[in-house]
Amino acid sequence: MDMGAAGVRAARAAVFTALCVTLSTGAHVLLSGSPVPLTPLVAVSAGVFLLAFALAGRERGFLRIASLLIPLELAADTVFTSGQHACYGQAGGPVAGPLRSVGVDLLCGGGEVGTPLARMAAHGGQAAALPFGGGPAGDPALPWLLLAAHVGVGLLAAVWLRRGEAALAQ
């Protein structure tokens, strides 16, 4: 199979984007207890698709996949968290005041993704204790635990993607 053909590249990039962005968004909403604004989600989806399309021309090894996937996951998490903070504030409520007049309406006006999942997380009682990313507020180990979780998930996803690459190449 010619992995460099435009149709194959587009199909691989679309499947990769759909799976990765859906899983990332779902996990982010579940852990944060807040929906992700639509504009950051669209921006992350477009970026992931373009990058995946550009790199889908040939088979990649595990280290190359992992070295791209882990920073990509951390960047998507940063964009989602920034969008949540800009649209919902630290406490999860709407942001008011001068920030609205500077264009936050443009960022937050498109809708929300994952609201039912956020409600489910809030009903579990964890959302109040887990502000944007989990853990007791003020815990100094929390950022390191979240980083370790992102790296671990990135490595597992890289193994999964590598096996998919090998299967498609055969």
Side-chain angles (χ1 to χ4, degrees), residues 89-159:
Q90 277 294 103
V95 176
L99 205 53
R100 283 278 176 208
S101 65
V102 181
V104 173
D105 283 333
L106 190 64
L107 174 68
C108 306
E112 300 172 335
V113 176
T115 303
L117 192 58
R119 279 192 216 118
M120 185 179 75
H123 285 21
Q126 296 179 350
L130 306 175
F132 292 103
D139 185 357
L142 180 63
W144 296 106
L145 291 173
L146 287 173
L147 179 62
H150 279 293
V151 170
V153 167
L155 290 172
L156 285 173
V159 168

Side-chain angles (χ1 to χ4, degrees), residues 6 9 19 30 34 36 43 53 56-57 76 81-82 88 97 106-107 121 125 135 140 151:
R9 291 175 69 180
L19 290 174
L30 192 59
S34 294
V36 172
F53 184 80
T81 301
S82 298
Y88 312 127
L106 190 64
L107 174 68
V151 170

Side-chain angles (χ1 to χ4, degrees), residues 36-66:
V36 172
L38 187 60
T39 305
L41 178 69
V42 169
V44 166
S45 297
V48 168
F49 178 81
L50 291 174
L51 189 60
F53 184 80
L55 297 174
R58 64 181 178 90
E59 185 178 358
R60 306 271 183 230
F62 171 76
L63 290 177
R64 288 184 188 253
I65 293 171

